[in-house]
Amino acid sequence: MISFSNVTKRYHGGHEALKAVSLEVQPGEMVFITGHSGAGKSTLLKLMAAIERPTAGTVLVNGQNAGSLRASAVPFMRRNFGLMFQDHKLLYDRNVYQNVMLPLDIIGYDAADAARRVRAALDKVGLLGKEKAMPVTLSGGEQQRLAIARAIVHRPSILLADEPTANLDSAYAVELGELLRSFNQVGVTVVIATHDEQLQARLQPRCIVLAQGRVVT
Amino acid sequence: MKNWLRQHRLCLTATLARLARSPLTSLLNIGVIGVALALPLAFYVVLVNVQSFARDKSPAPQISLFLKLDALAADVREIDNRLKKHAGVTQYVFISRDQALADLKARSGQADVIASLGSNPLPDGFVIDARDNNAAALEKLRDEFKAWPKVEYVQLDSAWAHRLDATLQLGRLIVLVLGALLAFALVAVTFNTIRLQILTQRAEIEVAKLIGATNPFIRRPFLYYGALLGLAGGVTGWLITWGGLRLINERLTPLAELYAANLRLQHLSLPDTLSLCLFAAALGWLGAWLSASRHLAQFDPE
C-alpha cells in the first residue's frame, strides 16, 4: 500500500532528515514509526501524504509515485489519507460540525449524505452533543477527538497520525489508542509516528524504528 | 452536476457573508473602485451626449457646384434640369456669376479692387442640399456631379463634420486611455484585497490543501469575492455618474431654456450599463485570479 525505496530527504541548508530509507506498509496494517525527536518521523509521514517531495528515491502510495505527482494531482491522492497533526490544525472560526464537514465539502459530497457522515463521525468520537461548540471551548482531549473525526469522516483507506498522544494525559491516551485500534479493525491502514511507549505496549503494532534518518529495525 | 451547483451556491452565500462581516472595509474597497470607474464613465457619458447632440443639431452639409467660365445659359439650364430630376437632391439654389460678384462687392468692401478686375472672374454656381447626409453618400453625389458637362469643380462642405469627427475621436481616445488606466487600478485593488484575505486565511487554506482541496476549490471563493467587488464597484460608479448628471441637469435645464433649447444630459443606455457591470465584474475576477494563483503556489509541496 505504501512503499519507500531508497528515499532521501535533504532540506535547504543541507540537513538530511532521511537517508536511503526503504520500507513497506501492507494494507490493513497498523505500523508505528518510533525514534527520538529529530529522527525523521514527521518527515516520513509528510512524504507519504505528498506534503513534501523526496530528494531521491521513490515513494509509492497505492501504486502512484507520490514524489513526482503533478501539483494538480496531489489533492486527489491526499484524499486517500486521513491526517492527524501534532497541532490538530483545527479551524477556530468554525464550529465542531463545520470542522468535520470540511473534507466532505472539499470532495463535494451530496448534502444529506454529508450530514449523515458528519454525525456518524462525531458519534464515533463521542462529540455528537457538541456539534455547535467552537473548538476553543473544547478540552485538549476533545480537540484531539475532533481532529480524529475530521480525519476519518471521508472514510480514508490510510490514517496518518503525527504524535497523537503528545499533549494528552494518560486516560485520554488510552481512549485514543482504542479508537485507533477500532479503525484498524475495520480495515483502515494506520501509520502513527510516536515515541509513546505505553501506547506501543498496549496496541502491540509492528514498529519501524528510526535513528538519525535511517531505519534501525 | 447538482453537487457542483450546490457548491457554487454555498460559495456565493459564503462570499456575501464575508463581504457583510467587514462592512467598512468592503464599503471602502467598493468606493475606491466606484470612484475609479466614475471618472472614465463621466467622460464617456459626456461624449455620447455630445455625439447625439451633434447628430441632431448639426446643419446639413451642402454641395457647391461651379460651372466653367465659358458655360452658356443653355448649359446652366441643362444642369438645372438634371438637378430638378435627381432623386438625391432635396433642394438647390442657383447663384449666377453676376449675382456672386455683386454679393462679393457688398460683403468684402473691396469694391475698388473688384471693379479694377475688368472682367468677372467668378463662375455660375449651384448650392445643393442632399437628401442623404452621410459622408459616403455626399461623396458619391460629388463624383457624379463632377462628370456632368461644363462642370468645373464640385465642393463638398464637410469640413465642419470632419472637425467634429476629429474632436470626438480625440474624446474617445481620452476615454479609452482613462478607462484602461483605471481598469488597471481596479485589478490592482482587487489583487491587493485578495492578497490580504489569503494572508488572514492562511490556516484555513493550509488545512484545506492538506485535506485534499484542489486549487480551483480554494480559489473559487476569492474569485467570487473579486467579481462581486468589481460588480458592486461598477454599480457605485454608475450611481456616482447618475448623481453628477442630476446635479448638472438641474443647472443646465434653466440655462437651456434661456436659449429656447431642450438640453438634458442622458445617462448610460441599458446595454451600456449592463456592459459596464459585466466589465467591472470581469476585471475584479481577473484581479482575484491573478492574486490567488500567485499566492496559492506557496502552499504546494516542496
Side-chain angles (χ1 to χ4, degrees):
Chain A
M1 176 148 261
I2 302 172
S3 100
F4 278 49
S5 58
N6 284 318
V7 173
T8 299
K9 175 67 185 178
R10 190 180 304 116
Y11 286 105
H12 293 294
H15 171 64
E16 274 198 348
L18 292 177
K19 294 165 190 158
V21 168
S22 295
L23 58 86
E24 291 275 340
V25 177
Q26 301 303 323
E29 236 189 329
M30 178 182 272
V31 176
F32 273 33
I33 317 278
T34 62
H36 295 294
S37 49
K41 304 189 296 283
S42 297
T43 305
L44 203 69
L45 292 192
K46 283 178 183 164
L47 290 174
M48 287 179 183
I51 296 167
E52 286 174 2
R53 295 182 189 277
T55 316
T58 48
V59 177
L60 289 179
V61 176
N62 288 333
Q64 275 186 306
N65 189 336
S68 62
L69 274 184
R70 280 179 299 119
S72 60
V74 168
F76 299 98
M77 194 273 237
R78 282 201 191 138
R79 292 175 191 178
N80 293 318
F81 292 100
L83 297 178
M84 288 171 60
F85 308 96
Q86 210 168 339
D87 55 353
H88 307 336
K89 292 198 192 295
L90 299 172
L91 296 180
Y92 291 95
D93 59 344
R94 304 186 183 198
N95 65 28
V96 167
Y97 182 89
Q98 290 164 331
N99 263 284
V100 181
M101 186 57 120
L102 185 66
L104 303 183
D105 271 344
I106 286 169
I107 296 170
Y109 268 77
D110 168 75
D113 193 19
R116 207 166 46 238
R117 283 187 178 218
V118 170
R119 296 229 158 72
L122 285 174
D123 189 29
K124 181 95 185 151
V125 299
L127 283 177
L128 200 48
K130 302 216 166 184
E131 281 181 14
K132 294 267 157 55
M134 297 307 274
V136 275
T137 65
L138 301 180
S139 70
E142 285 172 329
Q143 290 193 12
Q144 180 69 281
R145 284 187 273 152
L146 174 54
I148 296 177
R150 190 184 63 188
I152 52 110
V153 68
H154 60 294
R155 296 185 191 155
S157 53
I158 309 168
L159 185 65
L160 300 184
D162 193 1
E163 301 285 3
T165 57
N167 306 311
L168 297 182
D169 56 42
S170 55
Y172 274 135
V174 171
E175 207 174 83
L176 180 89
E178 288 313 308
L179 260 177
L180 293 175
R181 196 212 296 273
S182 72
F183 293 130
N184 183 236
Q185 278 167 350
V186 296
V188 178
T189 309
V190 179
V191 180
I192 298 167
T194 184
H195 53 247
D196 183 340
E197 283 165 8
Q198 288 180 348
L199 190 67
Q200 200 179 324
R202 223 170 18 252
L203 295 178
Q204 298 288 325
R206 174 160 81 91
C207 287
I208 295 171
V209 183
L210 287 178
Q212 293 178 330
R214 293 182 195 279
V215 179
V216 181
T217 50
Chain B
M1 184 66 196
K2 212 179 108 208
N3 274 333
W4 184 81
L5 279 178
R6 176 176 156 265
Q7 286 210 336
H8 277 268
R9 206 190 58 235
L10 284 177
C11 190
L12 187 64
T13 37
T15 309
L16 283 172
R18 190 182 296 167
L19 271 169
R21 215 179 304 146
S22 50
L24 189 65
T25 319
S26 306
L27 278 179
L28 285 177
N29 275 328
I30 292 169
V32 167
I33 294 172
V35 170
L37 285 173
L39 192 59
L41 209 56
F43 258 91
Y44 179 74
V45 166
V46 169
L47 193 72
V48 167
N49 274 288
V50 169
Q51 223 163 359
S52 76
F53 185 72
R55 208 179 305 123
D56 292 349
K57 296 292 189 293
S58 68
Q62 291 180 320
I63 302 174
S64 303
L65 183 155
F66 301 104
L67 297 183
K68 290 198 161 86
L69 282 177
D70 61 354
L72 302 171
D75 299 320
V76 174
R77 267 201 302 283
E78 168 66 19
I79 301 287
D80 189 82
N81 268 330
R82 286 189 183 207
L83 285 176
K84 208 176 281 171
K85 284 180 205 148
H86 199 288
V89 174
T90 47
Q91 56 177 9
Y92 62 93
V93 187
F94 172 66
I95 300 165
S96 73
R97 48 191 308 196
D98 298 333
Q99 193 191 335
L101 189 66
D103 281 355
L104 188 64
K105 267 184 193 162
R107 256 192 298 177
S108 66
Q110 292 178 317
D112 299 348
V113 180
I114 291 162
S116 72
L117 282 173
S119 72
N120 181 356
L122 300 176
D124 287 322
F126 290 88
V127 177
I128 301 153
D129 285 340
R131 187 178 302 284
D132 208 349
N133 277 334
N134 67 56
L138 289 172
E139 271 163 27
K140 199 168 150 258
L141 277 181
R142 180 187 63 190
D143 294 342
E144 188 183 344
F145 294 159
K146 241 184 212 168
W148 286 358
K150 290 289 179 188
V151 171
E152 173 72 35
Y153 184 65
V154 182
Q155 190 185 339
L156 196 54
D157 173 26
S158 58
W160 189 87
H162 281 304
R163 236 170 273 152
L164 179 72
D165 211 44
T167 314
L168 287 178
Q169 260 173 14
L170 183 70
R172 247 173 260 141
L173 183 70
I174 292 175
V175 168
L176 215 65
V177 169
L178 266 182
L181 281 176
L182 292 158
F184 176 76
L186 196 160
V187 171
V189 167
T190 36
F191 185 91
N192 221 16
T193 313
I194 297 300
R195 189 180 65 89
L196 285 175
Q197 281 198 0
I198 288 175
L199 281 179
T200 55
Q201 290 178 42
R202 266 198 81 90
E204 189 178 340
I205 294 170
E206 200 190 336
V207 169
K209 283 213 76 157
L210 286 173
I211 296 179
T214 57
N215 272 345
F217 178 87
I218 293 173
R219 205 153 40 201
R220 195 180 299 143
F222 296 114
L223 296 183
Y224 269 110
Y225 189 90
L228 276 177
L229 207 61
L231 181 65
V235 172
T236 311
W238 191 91
L239 287 174
I240 291 174
T241 348
W242 177 77
L245 284 180
R246 271 191 68 117
L247 280 176
I248 292 174
N249 275 337
E250 247 168 54
R251 296 275 179 285
L252 199 60
T253 312
L255 182 72
E257 269 165 11
L258 292 179
Y259 291 95
N262 183 15
L263 195 58
R264 278 188 73 79
L265 293 176
Q266 300 296 319
H267 201 0
L268 285 184
S269 62
L270 186 66
D272 277 351
T273 303
L274 288 180
S275 29
L276 163 75
C277 292
L278 218 68
F279 183 63
L283 284 177
W285 184 91
L286 176 70
W289 189 85
L290 287 172
S291 186
S293 300
R294 169 118 176 58
H295 296 109
L296 288 182
Q298 60 184 320
F299 296 99
D300 283 338
E302 291 159 24

